[in-house]
Amino acid sequence: MLWTSLKIQMNIMFRKKEYKAAIIIGITYSCLSFIYILTQFWGMDLSLIKDANQSVCYSQDNRLWYFFSVIYPFLVVLPYATSYVDDYRNQLLPIYISRSSRKNYFFSKLMAAFIGTGAVIAIPCLLNLFLCNLFLPHNHNTWLGEYQMGNYYRRLLGTNILYNTPYSKLPFLKLWTESPFLYNLLYLLFFSLFSGLLGALALSFSFWWKRSKLALFFPIFLLTQISQNYDTWKLSDAIANESTYVNTNILDYVVPTISKGRTPLFMAAFVLICIILIGVSVLYAIREDLRSMQ
């Protein structure tokens, strides 16, 4: 029954204009980012062009990443996080629940939001990754300085930083040195799964507040902004007062970047909190009385 309910939710999601708009936005950014890289390096010697895997659209080394990071919190909400509000407004809950169960309905809707939102990020970024690797050179020319020189290694190992942090080395360093392509592919997996989690989290908020779609776009945006601003303050405090720096910018953990202080325990705690919030929201929705369908 859960599988049948999931297929129904997936089919509904694929037909929704919000999902189509999210895919179009993602692919547009992916293609524009690639074209921008081509125009930046046009006419340059191949040895001076940055390596293909340094130019992917979801890397913080890409100059257009900042603009994408601004719309990202809204993009993860767009595909399916507002669908419960639509069901409630159109009085479709009795129909869905009569054919399945409240439990199957809410779990399948969350699973569809997770899969759909992850795909909205994965498909465009995977397209960009392959475009970069097909048309740009693989010359080990990175943003870290001259290849295999002192500054190159210092930035990878974090021995040149001016503050204290328990995690100064680039995560997955061995994979990065052996295969930058697989390194980017690994982070694309992280980014897609994380985006799916945020999409499901935004949907779970609608179980509590189902009268406004607009309100669902703000929690994820506020979450990313608070994490970025607090991280900036923590970094400044670590430099000025020699305190221990722990990176709190959640996006730094799921995309390629040389930012330091990425503590696995922080990200694990964040993911766990999200799962708990989703679980509590589902329990509330399942146990809510029939007035939720009136």
Side-chain angles (χ1 to χ4, degrees):
M1 291 292 289
L2 178 60
W3 174 246
T4 301
S5 183
L6 176 60
K7 289 194 294 184
I8 292 173
Q9 294 295 332
M10 293 289 290
N11 288 332
I12 294 172
M13 179 181 64
F14 291 145
R15 293 197 300 267
K16 289 181 72 69
K17 59 182 179 182
E18 290 90 345
Y19 183 81
K20 295 176 182 178
I23 282 286
I24 291 173
I25 292 171
I27 293 177
T28 300
Y29 167 71
S30 169
C31 294
L32 287 178
S33 177
F34 176 69
I35 293 172
Y36 175 79
I37 292 296
L38 291 181
T39 58
Q40 288 294 106
F41 296 143
W42 191 262
M44 293 178 60
D45 187 272
L46 288 179
S47 63
L48 300 177
I49 298 175
K50 296 302 178 184
D51 187 273
N53 288 289
Q54 294 287 298
S55 305
V56 293
C57 66
Y58 56 97
S59 169
Q60 291 190 11
D61 290 328
N62 190 299
R63 294 182 180 179
L64 296 185
W65 165 257
Y66 170 77
F67 301 101
F68 182 74
S69 67
V70 173
I71 67 171
Y72 172 77
F74 306 105
L75 189 62
V76 296
V77 177
L78 192 59
Y80 208 50
T82 62
S83 61
Y84 181 68
V85 177
D86 287 333
D87 291 351
Y88 178 80
R89 287 179 175 176
N90 297 326
Q91 299 183 345
L92 296 175
L93 295 181
I95 298 175
Y96 289 131
I97 293 173
S98 64
R99 295 181 178 180
S100 178
S101 68
R102 294 180 67 84
K103 181 179 179 180
N104 286 338
Y105 169 76
F106 287 110
F107 274 108
S108 63
K109 188 166 280 291
L110 284 168
M111 290 169 64
F114 178 84
I115 295 170
T117 307
V120 162
I121 297 300
I123 293 172
C125 290
L126 189 63
L127 171 64
N128 182 270
L129 176 63
F130 281 110
L131 285 175
C132 289
N133 277 273
L134 284 172
F135 294 100
L136 295 176
H138 297 80
N139 54 10
H140 300 292
N141 183 14
T142 72
W143 301 98
L144 302 175
E146 295 183 52
Y147 183 58
Q148 292 191 344
M149 299 298 288
N151 190 50
Y152 175 86
Y153 286 116
R154 283 190 289 270
R155 296 189 70 180
L156 285 176
L157 298 173
T159 57
N160 61 341
I161 59 177
L162 303 175
Y163 48 87
N164 298 320
T165 179
Y167 293 90
S168 57
K169 186 173 68 173
L170 184 75
F172 309 104
L173 177 57
K174 185 176 181 180
L175 181 61
W176 191 91
T177 55
E178 292 183 356
S179 177
F181 175 80
L182 291 179
Y183 176 85
N184 282 336
L185 203 58
L186 176 64
Y187 267 97
L188 177 54
L189 176 63
F190 292 159
F191 193 27
S192 302
L193 293 175
F194 180 72
S195 300
L197 180 65
L198 292 184
L201 179 64
L203 173 63
S204 71
F205 291 152
S206 70
F207 299 161
W208 299 88
W209 181 258
K210 45 187 168 288
R211 298 185 181 277
S212 173
K213 287 185 178 182
L214 186 62
L216 298 177
F217 286 89
F218 290 99
I220 304 300
F221 174 76
L222 291 175
L223 179 64
T224 57
Q225 290 301 306
I226 291 172
S227 73
Q228 291 172 13
N229 292 332
Y230 184 69
D231 177 66
T232 301
W233 177 81
K234 286 288 292 182
L235 179 59
S236 300
D237 182 66
I239 295 173
N241 302 320
E242 299 183 357
S243 61
T244 300
Y245 170 64
V246 174
N247 194 323
T248 61
N249 186 347
I250 54 176
L251 289 182
D252 281 356
Y253 286 82
V254 294
V255 296
T257 177
I258 59 171
S259 298
K260 310 301 181 184
R262 286 178 281 174
T263 308
L265 184 60
F266 171 81
M267 195 58 185
F270 178 83
V271 170
L272 180 60
I273 291 172
C274 289
I275 293 174
I276 291 173
L277 289 174
I278 293 172
V280 170
S281 299
V282 171
L283 289 176
Y284 167 78
I286 291 174
R287 294 178 180 179
E288 189 181 28
D289 59 26
L290 293 177
R291 286 177 299 176
S292 65
M293 296 186 292
Q294 293 177 353

